Amino acid sequence: MAFYNGARVVALLLLVSTAARAAGDGLLLNGNFEYQPNKSQMNGTRVMAEYAIPYWKITGFVEYISSGQKQSDMLLTVPEGAHAVRLGNEASIQQQISVTRVMYYSITFSAARTCAQSEKLNVSVAPGPESGELPIQTVYTSSGWDSYAWAFKAKRGLVSLIIHNHGEDDDPACGPLIDSVAIKTLYPPQATQSNMLKNGDFEEGPYMFPNAPWGVMVPPISEDDHSPLPGWMVMSDTKAVKCVDSAHYAVPHGARAVELVSGLETALMQEVRTVPGRSYRLEFSVGDAGDGCLGSMQVKGYAGQGCTTVTYNSQGTGGHTRASLEFAAVADTTRVVFVSSTYTTKWDGTLCGPVVDDASLVCVSQQQPPARRLLRL
Ligand SMILES: *[C@@H]1O[C@H](CO)[C@@H](O)[C@H](O)[C@H]1NC(C)=O
Ligand SMILES: *[C@@H]1O[C@H](CO)[C@@H](O)[C@H](O)[C@H]1NC(C)=O
Ligand SMILES: *[C@@H]1O[C@H](CO)[C@@H](O)[C@H](O)[C@H]1NC(C)=O
């Protein structure tokens, strides 16, 4: 700071305050690609110049797609507005965004797989080093468009968000379609005395489009502090869990819950600091999201060496049951895990499952008086 004179400090402060404003929750500038490139910078659907799409920079084979456009015998649709982009092999789109240093952000975007089989998208922010590989081969909606979330911690006030398709398909026109890129500041909740689970009610999470009734997928994430679902990890190879909101779904408590849509292939997990020998109680709700997901569902809740199985019979119209598990900690960290042991699909063939919500963990042992603990040592 000694290098800065007064004026530069003022300028810096101004910059910080505009940055905070610029990073409001919602679509990025031209995040839905509705501002079109100039025809002179296109060859057919291919975008020919780096800065042709307003507010974006592109690299590689990027196509500008209009809703209703045909590809072989496939009619392309767009989830929001009338336009989207397609990323060919090694193609990327990027945008500079103003953020607040050290804050956490979640990015939500919609993606649709086209002809390639095992597609992944690489999302990163530069300057790095944060990046993630999002598997998008599983389709969770009948439209083919799913919204995905990814999160990062801002290391600078100005970062570039990059969505890159590594891709290895012979046909560059088989790359994924991207639309509706949005950002949301995350305020990761802390554990408290009354709930040792962070974000146990799943209220903090990714940006959800107000007009998108299909939820937001949280792909595998094995670090809790960079999770778009703060506090929680999603343990899976390629499958995701779905954040659902009360505006479009039945949610047991508060405004959000998590739908376990991929059976045994995905576990929702949180690590909690515990004291070996002490007793704890885990409570949570299991229900259905009111999205027509019918049948007998089963959620297993694990904590340390304890396990409870909750059976819930879904009519597909919303509702839930409460479950409880008491256990003694055997280590100084205990994993709390929720897994759906059933695979369920809706009438349209899309994956669905039970919702988990309102989870809490409390210590139920009598606190030992400090003197006695000292004596034992
Ligand atoms: C599109 O490009 C042409 C040729 O470069 C230019 O004359 C025209 O003003 C551009 N239109 C817009 C809307 O930028
Ligand atoms: C446009 O694309 C066609 C087909 O790929 C190609 O033959 C042509 O040379 C391209 N035109 C320009 C101006 O790049
Ligand atoms: C994603 O892309 C970035 C930038 O191209 C790269 O540094 C990073 O290693 C990639 N990450 C993964 C997981 O492939």
Side-chain angles (χ1 to χ4, degrees):
M1 261 339 221
F3 298 116
Y4 291 112
N5 58 33
R8 278 192 72 179
V9 172
V10 170
L12 207 69
L13 289 174
L14 278 174
L15 200 70
V16 167
S17 59
T18 39
R21 208 161 356 112
D25 296 349
L27 280 179
L28 298 188
L29 294 169
N30 200 20
N32 52 7
F33 305 102
E34 294 303 304
Y35 298 135
Q36 308 184 24
N38 192 329
K39 283 275 178 289
S40 67
Q41 295 180 308
M42 308 260 293
N43 180 1
T45 54
R46 183 168 178 187
V47 183
M48 302 306 291
E50 245 185 336
Y51 296 98
I53 304 173
Y55 300 104
W56 292 95
K57 179 184 175 186
I58 64 154
T59 62
F61 188 97
V62 173
E63 285 180 280
Y64 189 71
I65 302 295
S66 300
S67 189
Q69 190 175 313
K70 280 224 169 134
Q71 178 181 4
S72 339
D73 53 356
M74 183 167 54
L75 189 69
L76 300 176
T77 60
V78 165
E80 218 237 7
H83 302 282
V85 294
R86 185 211 304 276
L87 303 180
N89 296 339
E90 296 300 355
S92 73
I93 49 166
Q94 62 174 283
Q95 182 170 134
Q96 277 209 327
I97 47 182
S98 296
V99 286
T100 305
R101 216 175 62 81
V102 312
M103 293 293 281
Y104 291 90
Y105 292 90
S106 177
I107 298 293
T108 301
F109 63 90
S110 298
R113 174 163 88 71
T114 56
C115 21
Q117 281 311 304
S118 71
E119 282 185 305
K120 292 187 198 103
L121 282 168
N122 187 331
V123 185
S124 55
V125 286
E130 288 177 68
S131 69
E133 251 183 19
L134 275 56
I136 59 163
Q137 71 240 43
T138 307
V139 178
Y140 299 93
T141 54
S142 51
S143 73
W145 282 93
D146 289 300
S147 299
Y148 284 94
W150 179 77
F152 68 94
K153 182 179 184 181
K155 302 251 176 1
R156 302 278 175 83
L158 193 62
V159 296
S160 287
L161 169 73
I162 307 161
I163 303 177
H164 174 236
N165 174 34
H166 171 55
E168 282 165 346
D169 214 84
D170 293 342
D171 183 357
C174 272
L177 301 169
I178 308 286
D179 198 11
S180 302
V181 189
I183 189 168
K184 178 174 175 278
T185 311
L186 291 174
Y187 299 96
Q190 293 307 305
T192 61
Q193 284 269 301
S194 57
N195 191 355
M196 295 165 66
L197 289 173
K198 291 180 263 181
N199 199 20
D201 205 10
F202 306 105
E203 294 298 302
E204 184 58 302
Y207 182 78
M208 298 184 79
F209 301 106
N211 54 357
W214 53 78
V216 173
M217 307 313 298
V218 179
I221 171 89
S222 56
E223 294 165 80
D224 59 348
D225 63 337
H226 290 184
S227 173
L229 194 56
W232 295 94
M233 292 174 257
V234 176
M235 312 307 286
S236 183
D237 269 350
T238 60
K239 298 282 200 295
V241 299
K242 182 159 123 182
C243 281
V244 295
D245 58 344
S246 58
H248 303 100
Y249 293 86
V251 163
H253 186 258
R256 290 182 180 212
V258 172
E259 184 175 347
L260 302 173
V261 292
S262 35
L264 288 169
E265 285 174 83
T266 311
L268 193 59
M269 185 187 61
Q270 184 165 144
E271 281 179 342
V272 189
R273 276 175 196 283
T274 46
V275 178
R278 281 204 188 154
S279 297
Y280 297 87
R281 185 170 56 239
L282 172 69
E283 288 184 325
F284 57 102
S285 296
V286 170
D288 73 285
D291 55 356
C293 192
L294 299 168
S296 176
M297 299 177 174
Q298 220 173 53
V299 171
K300 285 190 189 294
Y302 298 87
Q305 295 177 328
C307 174
T308 181
T309 302
V310 187
T311 303
Y312 174 81
N313 195 25
S314 170
Q315 309 296 314
T317 52
H320 68 274
T321 181
R322 199 83 181 131
S324 173
L325 169 66
E326 287 206 15
F327 66 97
V330 291
D332 51 15
T333 53
T334 295
R335 289 182 157 191
V336 171
V337 180
F338 299 115
V339 187
S340 161
S341 37
T342 41
Y343 286 88
T344 325
T345 51
K346 281 191 270 192
W347 59 273
D348 61 1
T350 57
L351 291 167
C352 68
V355 293
V356 170
D357 198 9
D358 198 12
S360 70
L361 183 75
V362 290
C363 182
V364 291
S365 302
Q366 295 291 325
Q367 295 272 336
Q368 289 170 332
R372 263 189 66 194
R373 282 176 65 198
L374 272 179
L375 218 65
R376 273 219 203 143
L377 290 172

